[in-house]
Amino acid sequence: MAMAQAWFPLEEHFLPRKLSKENLDRFIPNRSAMDFDYAHYALTEGRKPKDEVTSASRKAYMNQLAETMNQNQTRILAFRNKPKALLSSNHSDSPHQQPKSVKPRRYIPQTSEKILDAPGIVDDFYLNLLDWGSSNVLAIALGNSVYLRDASSGSTSKLMTVDEEMGPVSSINWTEDGRNLAVGLDNSEVQIWDSDSNSLLRTLRGGHQTRVGSLAWNNHMLTTGGMDGKIINNDVRIRSSIVGSYLGHTDVVCGLKWSESGQQLASGGNDHVVHIWDRFLASSNSTRQWLHRFEEHTAATKALAWCPFQASLLATGGGVGDRTIKFWNTHTGACLNSVETGSQVCSLLWSKSERELLSSHGFTQNQLTLWKYPSMLKMAELTGHTSRVLFMAQSPDGCTVASAAGDETLRLWNVFGVPPKTTKKAALKSTLQLFSHVNHIR
């Protein structure tokens, strides 16, 4: 894919901070500079009768107390602290005291790092055509083909192409180890590809009658969502892969996300509904009820994101008729907050290191918006796409975000900073050997 020209930089948007100044038109007590012991002594000592008879020892004690208290020069009521002497070179009150470190505000680039051509990408809100695997390979579906870009080397290759009657590709999703890619097709089939050998491992059929627009891996379980409103669990270890289903949507299932624990599944559909399902309530023999059914959105809900630092927190985004981001406690089913964004919400991503949420949008700005959670103050707005930003994917280290839009461009943004230098995450989860047995299944 050829490199395109960079767009002009845009102004960074931050909420102004109010400077802290002293208010000099009224008295504000500084309690840390007051001496309440001396105040109590002065008030109570003056009320004692002068002719009170006391013993010699009592009199000596009172004299010593008065001398001690009167040596304190601190005012009873203090307006502010006394001015300090010139600070030492290390800016601390004591040569042994270390200055407190203040975390600098992170710089957020307002332009994308790279712009790549994405010709033939399907401009369809209900599809999921972009995913970044744990092996640092970015996959993107363009028409009937899937291309891979190795983010480490920058090399690009084609993984697969399907015939016209089978395509276009309608969804893609990497396995947890980043080696195999599930590919949903317009003809209702799902293919599983080995990215190392560019070979087809197996094809899943019979779960759906129409297009498969959403996919979500949960270890050896591949969950598929179709245009027919069905959600199917496929165990890829066995020949007859369909082991359960979740029925509750009445229209296209356009969003699927398993929680980090793999115990709960969130699904969003064109029926404006978000469901929370329990992993163990799917059955091949009967249809079980959902854990929660959220009907507060007023448009198709594709954008789903489980919070990495709070297991039961789910963020959801509504389409052009809704334009809100909502936050849910999936343990209690409560809606924690709803934020009006002003435009169609296409996708959501949480930061892996900060309490921040990134959203991508459609009409009118086609922007990416970075929010501070839980205040939901805008930290930055990133623009450059000239069509709605339908898809986003996050790099394994959590720092770079890829966005793809109907303008047929793929952009890379350094949104979430740089990876920590002190930690070396085994982010690839390469110990899982999900398909070591699959060669015998056709």
PDB file of all heavy atoms in Angstrom, residues 9 12 30 53-54 91 93 103 126 148 237 239 249 348 362 373 384:
ATOM      1  N   PRO A   9      -1.620  19.981  10.246  1.00  0.00           N
ATOM      2  CA  PRO A   9      -1.841  19.759  11.682  1.00  0.00           C
ATOM      3  C   PRO A   9      -2.992  20.604  12.189  1.00  0.00           C
ATOM      4  O   PRO A   9      -3.261  21.694  11.684  1.00  0.00           O
ATOM      5  CB  PRO A   9      -0.498  20.194  12.306  1.00  0.00           C
ATOM      6  CG  PRO A   9       0.056  21.182  11.332  1.00  0.00           C
ATOM      7  CD  PRO A   9      -0.383  20.715   9.966  1.00  0.00           C
ATOM      8  N   GLU A  12      -4.669  21.551  19.073  1.00  0.00           N
ATOM      9  CA  GLU A  12      -4.996  20.644  20.168  1.00  0.00           C
ATOM     10  C   GLU A  12      -6.013  21.294  21.071  1.00  0.00           C
ATOM     11  O   GLU A  12      -5.908  22.481  21.383  1.00  0.00           O
ATOM     12  CB  GLU A  12      -3.714  20.324  20.947  1.00  0.00           C
ATOM     13  CG  GLU A  12      -3.880  19.243  21.977  1.00  0.00           C
ATOM     14  CD  GLU A  12      -2.551  18.873  22.596  1.00  0.00           C
ATOM     15  OE1 GLU A  12      -1.531  19.472  22.195  1.00  0.00           O
ATOM     16  OE2 GLU A  12      -2.533  18.008  23.465  1.00  0.00           O
ATOM     17  N   ASN A  30      -5.627  30.584  57.996  1.00  0.00           N
ATOM     18  CA  ASN A  30      -4.683  29.519  57.665  1.00  0.00           C
ATOM     19  C   ASN A  30      -4.474  28.716  58.933  1.00  0.00           C
ATOM     20  O   ASN A  30      -3.678  29.060  59.792  1.00  0.00           O
ATOM     21  CB  ASN A  30      -3.370  30.128  57.177  1.00  0.00           C
ATOM     22  CG  ASN A  30      -2.415  29.065  56.675  1.00  0.00           C
ATOM     23  OD1 ASN A  30      -2.598  27.885  56.956  1.00  0.00           O
ATOM     24  ND2 ASN A  30      -1.400  29.479  55.929  1.00  0.00           N
ATOM     25  N   VAL A  53      -6.187  31.698  95.791  1.00  0.00           N
ATOM     26  CA  VAL A  53      -5.141  31.182  96.664  1.00  0.00           C
ATOM     27  C   VAL A  53      -4.555  29.918  96.016  1.00  0.00           C
ATOM     28  O   VAL A  53      -5.294  28.985  95.704  1.00  0.00           O
ATOM     29  CB  VAL A  53      -5.682  30.845  98.059  1.00  0.00           C
ATOM     30  CG1 VAL A  53      -4.562  30.289  98.945  1.00  0.00           C
ATOM     31  CG2 VAL A  53      -6.295  32.088  98.692  1.00  0.00           C
ATOM     32  N   THR A  54      -3.262  29.915  95.843  1.00  0.00           N
ATOM     33  CA  THR A  54      -2.593  28.760  95.272  1.00  0.00           C
ATOM     34  C   THR A  54      -1.379  28.410  96.104  1.00  0.00           C
ATOM     35  O   THR A  54      -0.803  29.259  96.788  1.00  0.00           O
ATOM     36  CB  THR A  54      -2.137  29.044  93.831  1.00  0.00           C
ATOM     37  OG1 THR A  54      -1.257  30.169  93.848  1.00  0.00           O
ATOM     38  CG2 THR A  54      -3.319  29.362  92.926  1.00  0.00           C
ATOM     39  N   HIS A  91      15.503  23.245  45.528  1.00  0.00           N
ATOM     40  CA  HIS A  91      14.121  23.674  45.693  1.00  0.00           C
ATOM     41  C   HIS A  91      13.392  22.883  46.761  1.00  0.00           C
ATOM     42  O   HIS A  91      12.240  22.503  46.606  1.00  0.00           O
ATOM     43  CB  HIS A  91      13.353  23.555  44.371  1.00  0.00           C
ATOM     44  CG  HIS A  91      13.937  24.411  43.298  1.00  0.00           C
ATOM     45  ND1 HIS A  91      13.781  25.765  43.242  1.00  0.00           N
ATOM     46  CD2 HIS A  91      14.720  24.078  42.233  1.00  0.00           C
ATOM     47  CE1 HIS A  91      14.408  26.265  42.187  1.00  0.00           C
ATOM     48  NE2 HIS A  91      14.990  25.243  41.562  1.00  0.00           N
ATOM     49  N   ASP A  93      12.859  22.558  51.279  1.00  0.00           N
ATOM     50  CA  ASP A  93      13.060  23.245  52.544  1.00  0.00           C
ATOM     51  C   ASP A  93      14.244  22.682  53.296  1.00  0.00           C
ATOM     52  O   ASP A  93      14.842  23.348  54.117  1.00  0.00           O
ATOM     53  CB  ASP A  93      11.789  23.122  53.406  1.00  0.00           C
ATOM     54  CG  ASP A  93      10.615  23.841  52.763  1.00  0.00           C
ATOM     55  OD1 ASP A  93      10.863  24.806  52.027  1.00  0.00           O
ATOM     56  OD2 ASP A  93       9.467  23.409  52.996  1.00  0.00           O
ATOM     57  N   LYS A 103       4.060  14.848  37.420  1.00  0.00           N
ATOM     58  CA  LYS A 103       3.938  14.149  36.151  1.00  0.00           C
ATOM     59  C   LYS A 103       3.599  15.141  35.042  1.00  0.00           C
ATOM     60  O   LYS A 103       2.589  15.840  35.107  1.00  0.00           O
ATOM     61  CB  LYS A 103       2.851  13.088  36.244  1.00  0.00           C
ATOM     62  CG  LYS A 103       2.765  12.200  35.007  1.00  0.00           C
ATOM     63  CD  LYS A 103       1.714  11.127  35.205  1.00  0.00           C
ATOM     64  CE  LYS A 103       1.643  10.217  33.985  1.00  0.00           C
ATOM     65  NZ  LYS A 103       0.624   9.168  34.151  1.00  0.00           N
ATOM     66  N   TYR A 126     -21.973  -1.531   9.617  1.00  0.00           N
ATOM     67  CA  TYR A 126     -22.301  -2.777  10.316  1.00  0.00           C
ATOM     68  C   TYR A 126     -21.222  -3.849  10.215  1.00  0.00           C
ATOM     69  O   TYR A 126     -21.400  -4.944  10.739  1.00  0.00           O
ATOM     70  CB  TYR A 126     -23.632  -3.323   9.794  1.00  0.00           C
ATOM     71  CG  TYR A 126     -24.765  -2.342   9.957  1.00  0.00           C
ATOM     72  CD1 TYR A 126     -25.190  -1.557   8.885  1.00  0.00           C
ATOM     73  CD2 TYR A 126     -25.389  -2.178  11.190  1.00  0.00           C
ATOM     74  CE1 TYR A 126     -26.218  -0.635   9.037  1.00  0.00           C
ATOM     75  CE2 TYR A 126     -26.417  -1.262  11.350  1.00  0.00           C
ATOM     76  CZ  TYR A 126     -26.823  -0.489  10.274  1.00  0.00           C
ATOM     77  OH  TYR A 126     -27.836   0.416  10.436  1.00  0.00           O
ATOM     78  N   LEU A 148      -2.251  -8.044   5.236  1.00  0.00           N
ATOM     79  CA  LEU A 148      -1.561  -7.995   6.518  1.00  0.00           C
ATOM     80  C   LEU A 148      -0.412  -7.004   6.435  1.00  0.00           C
ATOM     81  O   LEU A 148       0.350  -7.002   5.462  1.00  0.00           O
ATOM     82  CB  LEU A 148      -1.019  -9.382   6.894  1.00  0.00           C
ATOM     83  CG  LEU A 148      -2.019 -10.542   6.915  1.00  0.00           C
ATOM     84  CD1 LEU A 148      -1.302 -11.826   7.308  1.00  0.00           C
ATOM     85  CD2 LEU A 148      -3.177 -10.253   7.857  1.00  0.00           C
ATOM     86  N   ARG A 237     -12.168 -26.879  18.210  1.00  0.00           N
ATOM     87  CA  ARG A 237     -11.432 -28.113  18.491  1.00  0.00           C
ATOM     88  C   ARG A 237     -12.171 -29.350  18.002  1.00  0.00           C
ATOM     89  O   ARG A 237     -11.580 -30.427  17.914  1.00  0.00           O
ATOM     90  CB  ARG A 237     -11.192 -28.239  20.004  1.00  0.00           C
ATOM     91  CG  ARG A 237     -10.378 -27.125  20.609  1.00  0.00           C
ATOM     92  CD  ARG A 237     -10.359 -27.240  22.119  1.00  0.00           C
ATOM     93  NE  ARG A 237     -11.697 -27.200  22.687  1.00  0.00           N
ATOM     94  CZ  ARG A 237     -11.982 -27.322  23.984  1.00  0.00           C
ATOM     95  NH1 ARG A 237     -10.982 -27.506  24.847  1.00  0.00           N
ATOM     96  NH2 ARG A 237     -13.229 -27.262  24.414  1.00  0.00           N
ATOM     97  N   ARG A 239     -15.146 -31.348  15.301  1.00  0.00           N
ATOM     98  CA  ARG A 239     -15.596 -31.335  13.908  1.00  0.00           C
ATOM     99  C   ARG A 239     -16.928 -30.600  13.764  1.00  0.00           C
ATOM    100  O   ARG A 239     -17.071 -29.728  12.904  1.00  0.00           O
ATOM    101  CB  ARG A 239     -15.712 -32.768  13.389  1.00  0.00           C
ATOM    102  CG  ARG A 239     -16.032 -32.862  11.908  1.00  0.00           C
ATOM    103  CD  ARG A 239     -16.045 -34.317  11.448  1.00  0.00           C
ATOM    104  NE  ARG A 239     -14.731 -34.930  11.619  1.00  0.00           N
ATOM    105  CZ  ARG A 239     -13.751 -34.845  10.739  1.00  0.00           C
ATOM    106  NH1 ARG A 239     -13.929 -34.136   9.627  1.00  0.00           N
ATOM    107  NH2 ARG A 239     -12.599 -35.448  10.955  1.00  0.00           N
ATOM    108  N   HIS A 249     -31.426 -10.757  19.804  1.00  0.00           N
ATOM    109  CA  HIS A 249     -31.472  -9.641  18.861  1.00  0.00           C
ATOM    110  C   HIS A 249     -32.481  -9.929  17.755  1.00  0.00           C
ATOM    111  O   HIS A 249     -32.661 -11.080  17.338  1.00  0.00           O
ATOM    112  CB  HIS A 249     -30.090  -9.407  18.248  1.00  0.00           C
ATOM    113  CG  HIS A 249     -29.114  -8.805  19.205  1.00  0.00           C
ATOM    114  ND1 HIS A 249     -29.149  -7.479  19.575  1.00  0.00           N
ATOM    115  CD2 HIS A 249     -28.059  -9.350  19.873  1.00  0.00           C
ATOM    116  CE1 HIS A 249     -28.164  -7.228  20.422  1.00  0.00           C
ATOM    117  NE2 HIS A 249     -27.490  -8.348  20.629  1.00  0.00           N
ATOM    118  N   LEU A 348     -14.950   2.262  19.805  1.00  0.00           N
ATOM    119  CA  LEU A 348     -14.419   2.712  21.094  1.00  0.00           C
ATOM    120  C   LEU A 348     -13.196   1.882  21.466  1.00  0.00           C
ATOM    121  O   LEU A 348     -13.165   0.675  21.221  1.00  0.00           O
ATOM    122  CB  LEU A 348     -15.477   2.566  22.200  1.00  0.00           C
ATOM    123  CG  LEU A 348     -16.731   3.441  22.122  1.00  0.00           C
ATOM    124  CD1 LEU A 348     -17.763   2.962  23.142  1.00  0.00           C
ATOM    125  CD2 LEU A 348     -16.384   4.901  22.355  1.00  0.00           C
ATOM    126  N   GLY A 362     -18.545   9.605  12.955  1.00  0.00           N
ATOM    127  CA  GLY A 362     -18.955   9.903  11.599  1.00  0.00           C
ATOM    128  C   GLY A 362     -19.288  11.376  11.450  1.00  0.00           C
ATOM    129  O   GLY A 362     -18.656  12.231  12.077  1.00  0.00           O
ATOM    130  N   TYR A 373     -11.481   9.695  31.562  1.00  0.00           N
ATOM    131  CA  TYR A 373     -12.501   8.989  32.337  1.00  0.00           C
ATOM    132  C   TYR A 373     -12.178   9.113  33.826  1.00  0.00           C
ATOM    133  O   TYR A 373     -11.012   9.054  34.219  1.00  0.00           O
ATOM    134  CB  TYR A 373     -12.544   7.509  31.947  1.00  0.00           C
ATOM    135  CG  TYR A 373     -13.637   6.738  32.647  1.00  0.00           C
ATOM    136  CD1 TYR A 373     -14.936   6.760  32.170  1.00  0.00           C
ATOM    137  CD2 TYR A 373     -13.368   6.037  33.809  1.00  0.00           C
ATOM    138  CE1 TYR A 373     -15.951   6.074  32.826  1.00  0.00           C
ATOM    139  CE2 TYR A 373     -14.373   5.354  34.483  1.00  0.00           C
ATOM    140  CZ  TYR A 373     -15.658   5.387  33.984  1.00  0.00           C
ATOM    141  OH  TYR A 373     -16.658   4.722  34.651  1.00  0.00           O
ATOM    142  N   GLY A 384      -8.708  14.507  10.176  1.00  0.00           N
ATOM    143  CA  GLY A 384      -7.914  14.235   8.987  1.00  0.00           C
ATOM    144  C   GLY A 384      -8.674  13.351   8.028  1.00  0.00           C
ATOM    145  O   GLY A 384      -8.580  13.512   6.811  1.00  0.00           O
TER     146      GLY A 384
END
